[in-house]
Amino acid sequence: MQQPPFLVGAPVLLLLVVVSSCPLLASGAGDGAATYIVYLDPALKPSPYATHLHWHKAHLGSLSVDPSRHLLYSYTSAAPSAFAARLLPSHAAALRGHPAVASVHEDVLLPLHTTRSPLFLHLPPYDAPDADGASTDVIIGVLDTGVWPESPSFGDAGMGPVPSRWRGSCETNATDFPSSMCNRKLIGARAFFRGYGAGGSGNASRIGVEFSSPRDHDGHGTHTASTAAGAVVADAGLLGYAQGTARGMAPGARVAAYKVCWRQGCFSSDILAGMEKAIDDGVDVLSLSLGGGLFPLSRDPIAVGALAATRRGIVVACSAGNSGPGPSTLVNTAPWVITVGAGTLDRNFPAYAELGNGETHAGMSLYSGDGLGDDKFPLVYNKGIRAGSNASKLCMEGTLDAAAVKGKVVLCDRGGNSRVEKGLVVKQAGGVGMVLANTAQSGEEVVADSHLLPAVAVGAKSGDAIRRYVESDADAEVGLSFAGTALDVRPAPVVAAFSSRGPNRQVPQLLKPDVIGPGVNILAGWTGSVGPTGLTVDERRPPFNILSGTSMSCPHISGLAAFVKAANPDWSPSAIKSALMTTAYTVDNTGSPILDAAGGNSTATPWSIGAGHVDPVKALSPGLVYDASVDDYVAFLCSVGTSPQQVQAITAAPNVTCQRKLSSPGDLNYPSFSVVFGRRSSRSSVKYRRELTNVGGDGGSVYTVRVTGPSDIAVAVKPARLAFKAAGDKLRYTVTFKSATPRGPMDSAFGWLTWSDGGEHDVRSPISYTWGM
């Protein structure tokens, strides 16, 4: 894989290539062979050689080395003239004596300087032996706004042939996306727009504007696909921020892009068509950072398509939604999908608002322009063209009084319109800067944006203080400063305030979300069609962008599911989900319980974090898993009131009668527990059944259970000890929950059930308790 170039003295530009793990390179060069990088003086290239490649091959031929077998790379852009080859030490010595050879160096392994998510998740370096297992055989299908194929995140350098089982293609009829745009990394690209074209007035004409091809003119799809499985890209960043080496969660995996969303949204008919084609094409993982609305599972196109995918052994991950922090706001709650919430990384982009009263308030920004220098400027708030209207507090389009804001910094409240649009409104009105202040709804969660004017976003507490200042001082002023990128931020992770929450209104006995992953200020690939703000006036075109949302956390989990599947190819989708859930952690990098950005940084509960924050390395060896089959999901559907006819229609299961149904939806063999007590004392006891499968090795193992939670809820697990004799063994247990004290319908409580072998494995499940939902 390529590493960043290093200039060591003109005119020779060096590029280090790590190739020693490729099996092709181990053959034919004899004992003691190694990979060497040979740097030539381009000015000395003899004229008979038409290209540098011909010259490089001639050097190897002079050593009786077959270029077709041993020439790995030929460079003319990253280096004026260099090549990498598998050689003996004697070959290297001979080349060093050639007058046209500037230098010869043996290949070395350099550490990655990651753009943060892989390091924060403790993923091993991609070029470490067996670090990514067989991930080059794993295919991730991304249903989104398409893909920008020229993004460096979809480069296929060093990748082997596309898996022979792949049945998809780069199928387009548009001139802007010929099939040649696909390669060994981006192996499929399709677009689905019939539902969109028929979905409303003007949509058909808008398809012509956005192009009826898989090309991404929005950026969202390129960002999610590269987050899941982007290639390793050196010197990545956004306008000077978050500099480092970018990579997806499973950089060796293949990507197939299915464009089912357009700038106006995603039609369910297109979504389902995309899922069908992805299933037929042969993907292993499906990633959907989309969804909305509360539908019965039998009418939810994502749930229906995901169940069909699960039947074919495909893992499906979906975003929980960005409607937090209110309760019961999550979507994509089917038990056969991984429902993903969002948390922060240990990286942010500090910026400061320095008030005229001496207070300094810390915030965040991705502004990359000249700034305001060290001067302070007048600060104004609620300077609208209409007296008595609060719209100017939100800096809505057309609300600011240009005469009152010209040459000043404007304080804008978050909400109502996009954060970057507020900055544009201020700029167009003549303002020179913006302080974007959270309200109580967003709490202390601050999201960084690449604004078009100097702007600092601050949390609710700082926002309240700045509002008090500007409303009490007619001569209020502020200075704005920007401090770049900060790492090792504490505490982290923190649950994002926007991340949608439980409890699950559709099926209260099913705890959702399942897990959280990084979803705040995530750097990934970007489209060349729009700027980082997405605003039409933004003419910047960086190859990477920083976004936030459960749309960003979802592809993290999709990529990590591919990472786990590569190491355990025989595991079912439910086993992979179980492994990610039961090994998740609930303690941040300060050793304290993970906090929630909403509600003043209170302790997060399973309604916001599910089982916790994913730990992909631990998920490779969970010890035990809660497995479930499609037949189990059919029984679940029957237990939530889906008619036999509906079940048969969405599962293709023959002769469904719903004679086999679960005693309660909570009886599904799931890695978490949602206990719903009745309001009456006669319904204060709930009993669930579970089955665990040993995946911890061939030897026997013994697990004992422990339960933590409220003191007034008694929990009895039978048996309390499970002795597995061999890998693949399955053992069952029951757990009975009894509430000693009746509570109200708005009350909730939480706990944990953990099976431990006393050593490497703690199989941990969250428990939520409610009364009379």
Side-chain angles (χ1 to χ4, degrees):
M1 55 167 284
Q2 294 183 344
Q3 301 292 342
F6 299 87
L7 190 64
V8 296
V12 182
L13 186 68
L14 306 185
L15 182 69
L16 183 61
V17 182
V18 178
V19 289
S20 57
S21 61
C22 179
L24 170 68
L25 311 180
S27 62
D31 294 337
T35 300
Y36 290 87
I37 315 299
V38 181
Y39 303 91
L40 306 176
D41 183 349
L44 297 181
K45 182 179 76 69
S47 56
Y49 298 109
T51 67
H52 287 275
L53 176 60
H54 287 92
W55 191 30
H56 300 163
K57 288 182 177 180
H59 274 284
L60 293 178
S62 69
L63 301 171
S64 300
V65 173
D66 183 358
S68 66
R69 298 180 63 190
H70 301 290
L71 178 62
L72 311 180
Y73 297 99
S74 177
Y75 310 105
T76 56
S77 296
S81 188
F83 64 90
R86 189 75 173 171
L87 303 169
L88 292 171
S90 58
H91 296 146
L95 285 170
R96 287 189 180 103
H98 194 287
V101 173
S103 62
V104 179
H105 299 290
E106 186 172 348
D107 208 351
V108 297
L109 182 66
L110 297 179
L112 292 174
H113 297 156
T114 175
T115 54
R116 213 57 191 169
S117 288
L119 184 63
F120 185 66
L121 292 166
H122 305 295
L123 285 168
Y126 174 57
D127 51 359
D130 300 324
D132 210 31
S135 72
T136 55
D137 290 329
V138 178
I139 302 165
I140 302 176
V142 181
L143 274 73
D144 213 295
T145 62
V147 66
W148 192 262
E150 294 90 349
S151 167
S153 293
F154 305 118
D156 65 351
M159 298 199 74
V162 175
S164 59
R165 60 185 176 81
W166 174 242
R167 299 179 295 275
S169 66
C170 195
E171 182 181 49
T172 87
N173 297 315
T175 57
D176 73 321
F177 201 128
S179 59
S180 59
M181 289 289 187
C182 288
N183 56 23
R184 293 183 177 187
K185 161 61 77 173
L186 180 62
I187 64 172
R190 302 175 185 267
F192 302 86
F193 49 83
R194 293 177 184 174
Y196 174 72
S201 175
N203 281 358
S205 63
R206 282 197 292 265
I207 289 178
V209 175
E210 292 194 55
F211 300 100
S212 53
S213 83
R215 183 168 289 278
D216 179 15
H217 291 276
D218 177 88
H220 193 275
T222 300
H223 199 280
T224 56
S226 58
T227 297
V232 179
V233 182
D235 295 326
L238 171 64
L239 306 174
Y241 290 94
Q243 291 297 123
T245 299
R247 52 160 283 191
M249 298 301 97
R254 319 297 177 129
V255 174
Y258 300 86
K259 185 174 182 177
V260 299
C261 297
W262 307 78
R263 289 177 182 172
Q264 284 71 31
C266 324
F267 278 78
S268 59
S269 57
D270 294 332
I271 295 170
L272 199 56
M275 297 183 80
E276 177 173 284
K277 184 55 68 174
I279 293 168
D280 292 341
D281 286 347
V283 303
D284 300 295
V285 178
L286 272 175
S287 185
L288 293 91
S289 292
L290 50 93
L294 287 176
F295 308 102
L297 294 175
S298 59
R299 290 177 45 208
D300 183 341
I302 294 176
V304 171
L307 185 58
T310 301
R311 183 183 290 277
R312 298 278 283 269
I314 300 168
V315 182
V316 183
C318 298
S319 50
N322 299 333
S323 299
S328 298
T329 49
L330 50 77
V331 296
N332 295 323
T333 60
W336 44 86
V337 307
I338 307 175
T339 307
V340 186
T344 63
L345 291 171
D346 62 343
R347 176 188 66 195
N348 63 26
F349 308 101
Y352 303 92
E354 302 164 12
L355 305 183
N357 62 5
E359 294 180 1
T360 297
H361 294 272
M364 274 199 272
S365 182
L366 292 170
Y367 176 70
S368 62
D370 293 335
L372 299 178
D374 297 328
D375 297 332
K376 286 185 171 62
F377 287 76
L379 175 66
V380 295
Y381 180 55
N382 197 20
K383 297 298 182 181
I385 58 176
R386 264 195 262 170
S389 172
N390 285 327
S392 62
K393 292 182 178 180
L394 295 168
C395 299
M396 304 290 286
E397 184 178 2
T399 64
L400 295 181
D401 182 354
V405 305
K406 185 176 181 180
K408 300 173 184 177
V409 175
V410 180
L411 175 64
C412 301
D413 291 344
R414 184 172 170 181
N417 56 345
S418 76
R419 300 180 301 272
V420 292
E421 184 183 347
K422 295 175 190 292
L424 177 61
V425 170
V426 171
K427 184 176 182 178
Q428 290 176 336
V432 297
M434 177 179 68
V435 176
L436 177 59
N438 280 5
T439 60
Q441 182 176 12
S442 298
E444 297 309 306
E445 169 197 88
V446 180
V447 178
D449 296 293
S450 52
H451 292 280
L452 295 175
L453 84 172
V456 175
V458 298
K461 293 178 182 177
S462 289
D464 290 341
I466 298 172
R467 291 184 194 96
R468 288 192 297 267
Y469 167 64
V470 71
E471 289 174 337
S472 64
D473 189 338
D475 296 319
E477 58 181 5
V478 66
L480 305 180
S481 60
F482 307 91
T485 303
L487 303 178
D488 299 316
V489 173
R490 296 170 180 266
V494 175
V495 179
F498 61 74
S499 188
S500 292
R501 317 300 169 97
N504 181 355
R505 279 195 292 172
Q506 274 195 313
V507 184
Q509 298 87 351
L510 183 68
L511 178 57
K512 290 282 183 170
D514 294 314
V515 290
I516 65 169
V520 178
N521 297 329
I522 303 302
L523 179 79
W526 191 241
T527 176
S529 186
V530 297
T533 63
L535 300 172
T536 56
V537 299
D538 189 352
E539 297 180 351
R540 300 170 295 179
R541 295 294 184 269
F544 293 87
N545 199 6
I546 293 174
L547 299 180
S548 298
T550 56
S551 284
M552 283 66 254
S553 56
C554 173
H556 276 85
I557 305 308
S558 306
L560 296 178
F563 175 75
V564 175
K565 186 176 182 66
N568 301 281
D570 297 330
W571 284 7
S572 69
S574 59
I576 291 172
K577 174 167 65 175
S578 176
L580 290 168
M581 290 177 65
T582 62
T583 59
Y585 61 87
T586 58
V587 175
D588 64 26
N589 57 4
T590 71
S592 302
I594 291 176
L595 300 177
D596 192 331
N601 280 339
S602 58
T603 300
T605 74
W607 283 353
S608 60
I609 62 171
H613 192 285
V614 288
D615 186 333
V617 175
K618 283 191 174 181
L620 295 176
S621 179
L624 306 174
V625 296
Y626 292 89
D627 210 350
S629 66
V630 172
D631 289 342
D632 295 324
Y633 295 135
V634 168
F636 171 86
L637 285 168
C638 290
S639 72
V640 297
T642 311
S643 71
Q645 185 179 26
Q646 290 173 323
V647 173
Q648 193 160 314
I650 65 175
T651 65
N655 304 318
V656 174
T657 63
C658 280
Q659 288 185 342
R660 184 206 168 203
K661 63 173 66 175
L662 305 177
S663 59
S664 159
D667 243 357
L668 181 68
N669 198 40
Y670 211 72
S672 60
F673 299 87
S674 180
V675 180
V676 182
F677 293 116
R679 297 187 189 182
R680 296 174 296 180
S681 59
S682 60
R683 296 176 59 195
S684 63
S685 178
V686 174
K687 182 178 182 179
Y688 288 153
R689 298 163 183 82
R690 292 291 189 270
E691 180 181 79
L692 283 163
T693 302
N694 180 26
V695 295
D698 295 330
S701 53
V702 177
Y703 287 79
T704 57
V705 72
R706 67 177 182 272
V707 180
T708 59
S711 59
D712 61 342
I713 298 177
V715 183
V717 181
K718 295 183 179 179
R721 178 178 179 273
L722 296 175
F724 296 89
K725 296 180 180 178
D729 280 358
K730 300 177 182 289
L731 294 175
R732 296 178 179 177
Y733 70 93
T734 62
V735 53
T736 303
F737 308 92
K738 291 185 178 181
S739 174
T741 306
R743 303 195 193 186
M746 302 302 293
D747 291 334
S748 60
F750 304 94
W752 298 87
L753 185 151
T754 305
W755 289 96
S756 177
D757 64 359
E760 178 184 355
H761 301 115
D762 286 319
V763 185
R764 199 163 181 256
S765 297
I767 310 169
S768 70
Y769 300 99
T770 53
W771 285 260
M773 285 186 63

